Every structure is written in structure tokens, then in C-alpha cells.
Amino acid sequence: MIERLREGPYAILRWAMPKVNVLNAESVAAFREAIESVLQDPTIEGIVITSRNREFLAGADLETVQALVEAGDPQTIYASSWAVQETFLRLERGGKPVVAALNGSALGGGYELALACHHRIAVADPAIELGLPETTLGLMPGGGGTQRLPRKIGLTAALELILEGRRLRPQEALQKGLIEATVETPEALIEAALRWLSQKPLATNPWIKDSAGPEALFKNLAHSPVFSAAIARLREKTYGHYPGLEYCLRAIYEGLHVPFEEALRIESRYFAKTLATRTARAMVKTLFLERQRLLNLPHRPKGIPPASIQKVAILGGGMMGRAIAYVCAQAGYDTWVKDTTEAALTQAQAFSENLLERAQKRGYLTPARAQTLRQHLHFTIDYADLAGADLVIEAVFEDRAVKSQVYREVLPYLSPKGILASNTSTLPITSLAEAAGYEERFIGLHFFSPAERMPLLEVILGQKTGEETLAWALDFAQRIGKVPIVVRDSRGFFTSRVFGMYVREGLRMLLEGIPPALIENLGRQAGMPVGPLALADEVSISLMYSILRQTERDLGVSLSEDPVAKVGPLFVEQLGRVGRKAGGGFYEYPTDGRKKYLWPRLHELFLPRSVNPAEYADLMDRFLYVQTAEALRTYAEGVLLDKRDGDVGSILGWGFAPFTGGVFHFIEWVGESTFHARAAQLVQRYGDRFSIV
């Protein structure tokens, strides 16, 4: 588990766990034993800590964390945290200089171990990530991170990194002071570490010089405006939904007033309080355990060989198509973008170049890697260039006739076992497959915008989609780094049906006379990342209206009661305000650098009424309950295979109140009896869309 090597007067301790290096009771005990053995060896003058695995140390074993959360015993949680703290403190104060040789990612407890060392060197590999991302899982650092990082890089910079849970690549980490040096290759890492030890450095860190009390540098921070600003920003962004962030801030503040070891104890106490919250339980379960389950492809049919996909073609170089192409090229696929005009292809290529330049500036890509990625991307107006494509992803306008036409045109160029996929967000896959005349090897691959960043991929089965097609689609998702959920066919599938309810509820409120700013603010206060009107602009009002009209044509019915049917004609046909891509919708999007703001004329078109603050609770609950009610309907109809998939999909796909654990876990988070009583109340007040299956 911990290998001990010798290089002259120096010891090399190398983490070597069977699968992934993590902190758990067994590994911490083994590491403590290894530390003691070298600290008590008089022939050892210094220590290098590194890893034999791809990662340096992935942090806490979150299955162990989940077990602690489920047990809910603060004393047990505290003891677990303090065992790590004591081990790191022993290393830091052991009297021998220690250098962390970071050959791979060091996140959470992994970076906290590096902080407890006296020097940090990382390989300058853009694939490596460093930082303290615990807060993104509803947790907080519990291995000294809240105390060492502010003392190392300064309070303001540390607060930003800890509270936002940012992960940095080595280049940016070096610039911000998280590490002291980088090397170009893994082979040079140990050599650089030993060279630093050969300079006979002091075996100390600046923050432990004064063990009797807080460092002089921090004595005046009790009244620092930095904390006031941090509290205000935290409240503005989270509305109090994430107790781990508040406890994290308290640990930093209180720790600055006491001797360093007591500061670590304060952190462990707040760590225990954080893990005892329902938010921590919900987020760890969904965003780690269930997400990890999906990454292991539980819905992949057994016994089918790995996908044989070499060449990928994207039909349509618009906003979605060009982003999907970039993701495929990143994964190493030979990727072709097909559009009808050179102008569209030029824009698609410019999009990729912009992403490549930004990634290089931030240290996410080396120039050589960027050039390789460019070589994977091709742009064409000629179908013949797509010949032999193993996977074709259609990303054209949501119009059945347009899609059917491109299917007919591209089919002759597919490889013999090629797969045809649609990025449609709403049109039933079965009907598209029938129109293409290619049903067994047709599937839905619904990406989320912006596709180059959003981690979810909704994989939609048509009635005749073959098992090999599903297997290949899931292998493709795994290779491009997306988290796949598998759903059966339905108009709108799972994601569009459910998050569409959030947008529609916002439009209903607008039609009811609820002031637009209040709608947006209450949407965010309910836990959604953006207000429903802003989301409507992002999705595009014209797209929502087009989908509504296509649905009416397909079903032969009138959907006049849908709020999109009432708002769409005004904004699309009369005003031409179709959303962000056109520079105006419910919001204005100035080009002079000013922040977007609600369109002032909304108050003329939708006369606002006065709203009693007592109504706010109903408005916020409407946003969340209407989504959960629709999610339950999709599950009852057999569209969604597993509620756990829906929880992951709802958070990763459109940001459903992450602190609740997802659209289904929301019921447990509220409490089942409370949830059903409240849903019944909303049905009585606002209608059957809140009814629970």
C-alpha cells in the first residue's frame, strides 16, 4: 500500500494502492507507520512522497465518507478526520524535510497531504488537477486544507479556491502559489525532488513557527472586510442551501484566532458537522456514488465487444454541432463537420480555435496537444468526405422534414456497421428512425449546451434500437468523458420533459402577473442555477415554440393552454426576440461588455401585480415540485430506467437544486410525508400538473 524506497540518504514513500490511491482507515494507518519508520531512522535526512499510480492521491474514499454520513455519528466522523490531521501534522513537524512529488492529480485530501509537506513539485501535465473540490460535493476540507491554504497563498485567494472548489492545472497552480515548481516529464520528478532535499532545506512551514498562538500575520484578520465580502457573496450565490460552505468559512475564520493545532481541531469539528447534514448525504450519494455507477456503464448489454468507432461525422455546424465535434476530436476521433455553407463551417472552425487558445492560456492544453486536436477536426460541405463514418450525429434544426432529408443524404456514406444518431431534444427517436429507414442502428444522443462543458449525455432507445447500437453508444459516451443515462423513447424523453416544466412554470408566473425580476430571483432561491426566463433565452424561445408547433402537427391536437403557445407568437412572430443567440429575448444582451439585464418592456407586455411575501414559499415550491411531479410520471411510464439515473441526470443536465440530491431524491430530502402533503396542497391551489403518480 505504501512502498518505501531508498535513494542515498533520502527515503521515497510511494503510494501504491491496488486501484486508486485514497484515504481510508487502512491507508492512513499504513501511511502513519511508514512515516514513523523514516522519521525514526537516523540515516534518513529527507523524505519524498509520490505515487506509483496514475494519480498522486485522489483524496478521501468517498464510499467511506458515505458510510460515515449514513451512520450520522459526529464523534466517529471527528475521530476519522482527526486521525488524518494527526498523521499529516506528524509528517509536517517530524523534523525532516518532506517534498511532495506530484506525478498525478492531488485533490481534496491528496492536496492536503501535499500542503503538509514542506515543498511541492508537479509534472507540468495539463491532465493533472490540484485543489480542494470538497465543497462541490456538499462537503468541506477535513485534512487541514482550510488552515494551511490561507496561510500559504493568502486569505482572499484561498477563500476563492476553497469555497468554489476549483481544480487547477499545474501551470495555474504554480502561478497561484499552490505548488513551488514544475518539471516537464515524470522521469524528471524524483530527480528534482532529491535535488531540493540536497540543498538541506528547513523542515518547517511558515505557519507552524509560532506554536503558542496565531501567527502575527493573521492577528488582525478578525475584522477583515474579506470575511464580510465572502459571507455576502456566499449568501448571494447559495441562499443558505449549502451548510458545508458556511461551516468551511467558520473554520477558516475561527482557526485564525488560535494556535495552529487547535485550528486543525476546529476544522475537524466543522467537518463532522458538515457530514451530519442532509445536504452532504444527498450530494455525496448522487454526485459521487451514483455518478460513478453510471460511469461504469450499468446499462451496457453484456457480451458485446467494445465499439469499433474510428470516424465520426457531425451533421450541422451550428451551436450544438460544432461543440459536439470539438468533444469528439478531444477524445481522439477523426471528426468531420458537415454543413451546407462555407460561412457556417468557418464559424464552426473559429469556435474550435477559440476553445483551443483559451485552453492553452489556462494551461489545460500543451501546444503539441492542441495541434493534434486540430488535426482530428475537418470541415466540409461535401457528403463524400464522410464516407466510411462509423458514427453520424445529426445536429440540425428541430424540424422533422429537415432531419429526414439529411438522413437520406448521409446514409450512403455510413460504414457497413455505422450508427446514425440524432441530437434531438424532443422528437421521438422511433419516428426519426422509421423516417430514416435505419431502425436497428439508430439511437438518440442528446447532448446539453454548452456541449464542450456539460457532462451529461442522454442516450435514447428507439423501439427497434439494437443491443450492439446501445453498447457502442455507451462506449462512445465513456470515451468522450460524458456521464450517460439511458432512457426509452418518449416525446421530450426524460430531461427535456422535466426541465421544460421549470421554464414553463416561469412563463405561467409571467402570465399571472408575477414581476419578472421576482420570478428569476425566486427561481435561484429555490436552488436552480439560473432563473426560468434566462433559461428560456439560453434554450431559445424560437426553439421551444418550434417544438410546440411540431408536437401539435404530430399529434393533431391544439396545445393552446401551454404557456409557450401564448408567449411564443408574441416573441417569435411579432417581436423577433428569440433568445440569447439573437441578442434579445426576455433579457437584453449588450455587446458593449455590460451585464445582461431583463428587457424593460416586459412590464408593459405582462402587467405586474403586487405579490405578498407570504406567497414566495408557494412560488419557490412550484418550481421544484412541478419538476419532481413530471419526473415521477416519466418513471411511471417506463421512460426512465432507474430513479438514481434521474437524480444524476437532473443535476448534471440542468442543475436541479444540487443540495437536494436530485429530482427524485428531493422527496427524501424534504421528507416523504411532508412532500406528499405539500404536493396535494399545490394541486388544490394551482392545478393537476403538481399531482404525484
Side-chain angles (χ1 to χ4, degrees):
M1 187 173 292
I2 307 295
E3 298 175 342
R4 178 179 170 178
L5 308 174
R6 182 77 180 245
E7 187 70 35
Y10 308 117
I12 300 174
L13 298 182
R14 193 163 66 173
W15 283 76
M17 297 181 74
K19 293 182 179 179
V20 178
N21 295 333
V22 292
L23 293 170
N24 56 32
E26 185 181 3
S27 66
V28 170
F31 185 57
R32 179 64 180 261
E33 182 180 344
I35 290 170
E36 292 297 340
S37 72
V38 295
L39 290 179
Q40 294 176 25
D41 186 338
T43 67
I44 297 297
E45 297 178 6
I47 306 166
V48 177
I49 298 178
T50 190
S51 166
R52 189 180 67 182
N53 294 347
R54 183 177 61 180
E55 76 287 342
F56 173 74
L57 181 58
D61 175 7
L62 285 177
E63 292 186 8
T64 300
V65 171
Q66 179 69 8
L68 290 171
V69 168
E70 294 296 339
D73 178 13
Q75 290 186 336
T76 302
I77 299 171
Y78 174 83
S80 177
S81 173
W82 187 246
V84 176
Q85 300 274 29
E86 276 192 311
T87 301
F88 291 177
L89 197 58
R90 174 64 175 136
L91 179 74
E92 187 173 35
R93 291 181 169 177
K96 294 182 179 181
V98 186
V99 54
L102 306 174
N103 62 297
S105 293
L107 296 169
Y111 181 65
E112 288 175 297
L113 169 56
L115 277 173
C117 298
H118 307 115
H119 193 71
R120 288 141 290 269
I121 307 171
V123 178
D125 180 353
I128 290 175
E129 296 181 320
L130 308 171
L132 301 172
E134 291 93 335
T135 55
T136 62
L137 288 175
L139 305 175
M140 64 167 281
T146 66
Q147 304 308 314
R148 289 188 177 92
L149 192 61
R151 290 162 168 82
K152 177 167 174 51
I153 67 172
L155 182 60
T156 301
L159 283 173
E160 177 187 350
L161 294 178
I162 294 172
L163 296 179
E164 294 182 7
R166 286 191 59 198
R167 302 166 180 235
L168 306 183
R169 311 297 169 138
Q171 179 180 313
E172 190 175 3
L174 179 63
Q175 294 169 351
K176 292 185 178 296
L178 276 72
I179 57 177
E180 283 69 47
T182 61
V183 294
E184 290 303 315
T185 64
E187 294 73 22
L189 186 60
I190 299 301
E191 180 183 339
L194 295 173
R195 189 163 54 248
W196 181 79
L197 288 174
S198 71
Q199 298 170 11
K200 310 296 182 184
L202 294 175
T204 187
N205 279 320
W207 49 84
I208 59 173
K209 288 181 180 177
D210 180 8
S211 60
E215 298 74 25
L217 178 63
F218 297 101
K219 285 182 178 178
N220 296 321
L221 283 178
H223 304 291
S224 169
V226 172
F227 280 107
S228 299
I231 292 169
R233 285 197 303 272
L234 202 59
R235 186 67 190 179
E236 179 186 17
K237 292 181 68 173
T238 70
Y239 297 99
H241 291 311
Y242 300 87
L245 289 170
E246 181 182 336
Y247 291 150
C248 192
L249 194 57
R250 288 185 182 184
I252 296 170
Y253 176 78
E254 293 176 20
L256 296 177
H257 293 73
V258 296
F260 184 67
E261 186 170 338
E262 179 57 31
L264 297 179
R265 291 188 179 275
I266 287 172
E267 180 187 88
S268 287
R269 286 195 287 271
Y270 277 119
F271 180 77
K273 286 174 70 71
T274 297
L275 261 63
T277 64
R278 59 179 177 170
T279 295
R281 181 170 60 251
M283 293 183 71
V284 169
K285 180 178 184 295
T286 298
L287 293 178
F288 176 72
L289 296 177
E290 299 304 343
R291 176 176 177 160
Q292 194 61 45
R293 177 183 61 84
L294 287 170
L295 288 172
N296 291 329
L297 308 184
H299 302 304
R300 189 186 191 279
K302 307 297 182 186
I304 294 176
S308 178
I309 298 175
Q310 302 297 325
K311 183 175 181 178
V312 177
I314 313 297
L315 303 181
M319 181 176 67
M320 284 300 297
R322 62 197 184 197
I324 295 170
Y326 183 84
V327 169
C328 293
Q330 269 189 317
Y333 287 116
D334 181 30
T335 306
W336 289 77
V337 180
K338 161 72 173 70
D339 210 302
T340 57
T341 68
E342 292 288 355
L345 294 175
T346 298
Q347 288 183 339
Q349 189 166 10
F351 170 82
S352 297
E353 282 299 324
N354 183 48
L355 288 181
L356 289 171
E357 289 174 12
R358 284 163 50 193
Q360 288 181 82
K361 286 180 181 177
R362 297 188 65 181
Y364 289 9
L365 279 180
T366 63
R369 172 69 182 138
Q371 186 57 32
T372 299
L373 202 153
R374 286 187 185 94
Q375 292 169 358
H376 288 315
L377 273 171
H378 315 278
F379 304 87
T380 184
I381 60 172
D382 189 349
Y383 275 111
D385 288 328
L386 310 186
D390 304 300
L391 172 62
V392 171
I393 303 174
E394 166 266 305
V396 302
F397 191 64
E398 288 287 88
D399 182 282
R400 190 178 294 281
V402 175
K403 291 179 184 293
S404 296
Q405 179 182 341
V406 299
Y407 298 154
R408 290 193 299 271
E409 292 170 346
V410 78
L411 274 175
Y413 301 97
L414 272 175
S415 69
K417 296 186 72 174
I419 291 174
L420 184 54
S422 176
N423 180 55
T424 181
S425 59
T426 57
L427 298 178
I429 291 299
T430 299
S431 62
L432 295 179
E434 289 172 349
Y438 199 72
E439 297 176 76
E440 185 176 345
R441 300 193 72 78
F442 195 105
I443 199 164
L445 293 178
H446 177 205
F447 289 78
F448 295 78
S449 184
E452 73 275 11
R453 294 205 305 271
M454 295 293 281
L456 188 70
L457 180 65
E458 187 177 30
V459 179
I460 307 111
L461 299 173
Q463 288 181 5
K464 295 185 179 180
T465 300
E467 285 198 341
E468 186 176 64
T469 304
L470 172 59
W472 280 31
L474 291 173
D475 290 347
F476 168 73
Q478 189 175 63
R479 179 163 166 180
I480 63 174
K482 300 297 184 185
V483 180
I485 63 170
V486 179
V487 303
R488 296 188 182 95
D489 202 10
S490 161
R491 188 172 297 275
F493 321 124
F494 169 70
T495 56
S496 294
R497 277 181 62 173
V498 179
F499 96 78
M501 299 298 284
Y502 172 59
V503 175
R504 283 173 165 79
E505 203 62 27
L507 297 181
R508 281 193 178 90
M509 292 178 186
L510 192 65
L511 293 166
E512 291 169 10
I514 307 298
L518 184 60
I519 293 171
E520 296 296 84
N521 287 332
L522 291 180
R524 291 191 295 270
Q525 285 187 45
M528 300 299 291
V530 296
L533 304 182
L535 187 56
D537 275 0
E538 292 290 338
V539 172
S540 168
I541 305 167
S542 61
L543 177 60
M544 295 192 321
Y545 185 50
S546 174
I547 290 170
L548 180 85
R549 291 294 181 237
Q550 182 68 65
T551 302
E552 290 181 323
R553 290 193 294 271
D554 287 351
L555 301 181
V557 298
S558 170
L559 299 175
S560 59
E561 293 305 310
D562 190 309
V564 175
K566 299 177 180 180
V567 174
L570 174 63
F571 273 73
V572 178
E573 296 172 2
Q574 296 181 38
L575 300 172
R577 298 184 64 85
V578 299
R580 182 169 186 167
K581 66 180 182 181
F586 293 109
Y587 281 78
E588 289 280 30
Y589 300 91
T591 58
D592 59 2
R594 289 182 296 165
K595 188 177 181 180
K596 69 178 184 181
Y597 54 87
L598 281 163
W599 187 38
R601 283 197 61 201
L602 287 177
H603 288 279
E604 300 174 20
L605 300 170
F606 306 96
L607 295 178
R609 65 174 175 84
S610 61
V611 181
N612 190 313
E615 193 179 343
Y616 290 0
D618 269 17
L619 294 172
M620 286 190 287
D621 280 353
R622 283 171 61 180
F623 285 131
L624 300 186
Y625 277 75
V626 76
Q627 293 180 74
T628 296
E630 185 68 13
L632 287 166
R633 281 188 280 274
T634 66
Y635 183 70
E637 294 167 16
V639 174
L640 189 67
L641 304 186
D642 193 313
K643 288 181 178 179
R644 297 173 298 171
D645 300 356
D647 282 332
V648 176
S650 66
I651 294 178
L652 299 188
W654 69 91
F656 179 90
F659 61 90
T660 69
V663 71
F664 291 102
H665 198 278
F666 175 65
I667 300 171
E668 180 181 331
W669 189 86
V670 172
E672 192 162 349
S673 61
T674 302
F675 173 83
H676 284 283
R678 181 59 164 150
Q681 192 176 58
L682 293 172
V683 169
Q684 186 177 25
R685 292 178 182 176
Y686 303 104
D688 288 341
R689 64 187 179 277
F690 295 98
S691 63
I692 304 304
V693 176

